[in-house]
Amino acid sequence: MFKTYSLGDLQFSIGLMNDDFSGPAESTRFPLGSIIPIMASVVQNTHQPLLLLLEECVASTTPELYPESTMYPIISNKGCLLESVSSQSKFEPRQKSSEIRLSLQTFTFAMGEEVFIHCKLLAWDPNGLDSTKKACHFVEGHGWELLDNLAQSNLCDCCESKCKSRRQRSVASVGLLWVAFVLLDGDWYVCCKNDGSEKQVQLACKAEANITDNQRVIIEELKNSSQHYGGFWAFCITIVAFILSFCERCKCCEKVPCCFDSKHLIEELIFTEEENVLEEVLMKAVKEKLAEEVKE
């Protein structure tokens, strides 16, 4: 059966399908080693075209996820199909951007029990793919490939490590630039970095008409010091930003003909309401699975 969830003018659904994805599966029982066709879709109505992604999927023996639940990771790391590494599981070619098809080979897990598959869906700008917004599967002899554009398969390079967003670095850069601009302005420095004496402590609060020539000299000296530090930090930030941008461009352009456009978030849907629980149990399950592979 399909499970449907609506958000605004978007309607999301996911379910088990028959062999050619033309309709719902007639049975929910699958022999070990067979393929489970799974399809998720989003009805966009009047919304601009969106690309549907499966960000995370886990198998569980419970219809709800709890930290103590037994988990089996299927898709992790922001769109990496882990099961494709050791099985015939794969993303099927898209028929349209608003749906995504997954052929999942059955695996040994909770034999004799009911198994529930929990997934986190994401609707995104088709032109805004990055390492945290993608659909990647492992192809033997080729490595990790991006479903929607083979030329950008370098977005999948992080599938065996940790796929991180660039937003944290952007926030940090904005914060450092703010500090630099405050120093360049100089007023904060006059207020908070004077020597604390009676002559200087009130400089920032004095009305312009009441400031003496001697005090103006002190204010200019303090502002010059502030601007010196601000200019130094602005220069350092500019150099670091240039180096990082250059490295990103080289990494991108050595594999594809042109670099990526800016990314824009369109809409995000958590298919399960317990997002934090899903993240917690998923990471736990991934670690357990990797530990088992190392032992083998």
Side-chain angles (χ1 to χ4, degrees):
M1 295 178 60
F2 274 78
K3 182 174 180 180
T4 302
Y5 186 95
S6 296
L7 183 67
D9 61 346
L10 302 177
Q11 187 179 62
F12 296 78
S13 60
I14 188 170
L16 305 179
M17 306 295 291
N18 56 23
D19 291 341
D20 60 359
F21 291 90
S22 60
E26 297 180 359
S27 171
T28 58
R29 298 176 67 89
F30 298 88
L32 185 63
S34 64
I35 298 296
I36 306 175
I38 299 174
M39 185 173 77
S41 62
V42 56
V43 179
Q44 303 169 137
N45 297 319
T46 58
H47 207 288
Q48 71 181 78
L50 299 172
L51 186 73
L52 188 66
L53 300 168
L54 283 170
E55 191 175 56
E56 317 280 358
C57 283
V58 296
S60 171
T61 55
T62 58
E64 302 294 336
L65 293 177
Y66 307 99
E68 63 273 14
S69 298
T70 302
M71 295 288 117
Y72 187 93
I74 299 170
I75 298 175
S76 182
N77 220 351
K78 308 298 183 182
C80 300
L81 179 57
L82 300 178
E83 272 301 289
S84 61
V85 176
S86 57
S87 73
Q88 298 179 39
S89 299
K90 62 180 180 178
F91 288 115
E92 297 291 346
R94 287 190 192 269
Q95 303 302 307
K96 48 187 175 181
S97 65
S98 60
E99 69 178 33
I100 186 167
R101 299 179 177 186
L102 169 63
S103 290
L104 178 65
Q105 187 174 28
T106 54
F107 42 84
T108 304
F109 173 71
M111 300 298 287
E113 298 183 59
E114 282 189 318
V115 175
F116 300 85
I117 295 177
H118 303 261
C119 291
K120 180 178 177 181
L121 303 181
L122 194 71
W124 203 256
D125 180 354
N127 298 316
L129 295 178
D130 63 22
S131 60
T132 63
K133 309 293 181 296
K134 62 189 184 303
C136 299
H137 54 195
F138 188 86
V139 179
E140 188 173 357
H142 296 275
W144 289 95
E145 292 186 355
L146 187 69
L147 169 65
D148 297 291
N149 187 348
L150 286 177
Q152 293 188 22
S153 290
N154 62 310
L155 296 181
C156 304
D157 289 348
C158 62
C159 280
E160 296 182 7
S161 55
K162 179 66 176 177
C163 299
K164 298 180 180 180
S165 173
R166 297 180 184 176
R167 285 183 292 178
Q168 292 181 345
R169 190 174 73 194
S170 298
V171 171
S173 300
V174 170
L176 288 173
L177 282 173
W178 179 82
V179 171
F181 285 130
V182 167
L183 288 170
L184 286 171
D185 179 68
D187 287 338
W188 171 85
Y189 202 86
V190 173
C191 179
C192 301
K193 288 297 181 179
N194 57 70
D195 63 9
S197 65
E198 291 185 4
K199 291 182 178 181
Q200 294 190 14
V201 73
Q202 295 296 324
L203 289 179
C205 303
K206 270 197 168 187
E208 181 71 21
N210 297 329
I211 298 176
T212 66
D213 291 339
N214 186 47
Q215 289 172 335
R216 291 183 194 280
V217 171
I218 295 174
I219 290 173
E220 287 302 318
E221 289 177 349
L222 289 170
K223 284 193 172 185
N224 285 339
S225 296
S226 179
Q227 290 166 358
H228 173 77
Y229 292 126
F232 173 76
W233 279 110
F235 175 77
C236 291
I237 293 168
T238 302
I239 294 298
V240 171
F242 173 78
I243 293 173
L244 291 174
S245 175
F246 180 77
C247 291
E248 292 285 352
R249 185 175 179 84
C250 287
K251 181 180 178 181
C252 167
C253 292
E254 69 182 11
K255 293 190 176 183
V256 296
C258 62
C259 291
F260 313 131
D261 295 328
S262 58
K263 289 82 178 174
H264 301 288
L265 171 64
I266 301 301
E267 199 68 75
E268 180 172 3
L269 169 73
I270 308 306
F271 196 74
T272 175
E273 294 181 359
E274 293 85 3
E275 177 185 6
N276 293 332
V277 176
L278 175 58
E279 293 288 349
E280 182 178 347
V281 296
L282 181 61
M283 290 308 300
K284 176 184 175 184
V286 169
K287 289 178 181 178
E288 291 176 352
K289 184 174 181 179
L290 292 176
E292 290 177 1
E293 292 180 354
V294 170
K295 289 180 180 179
E296 292 177 359

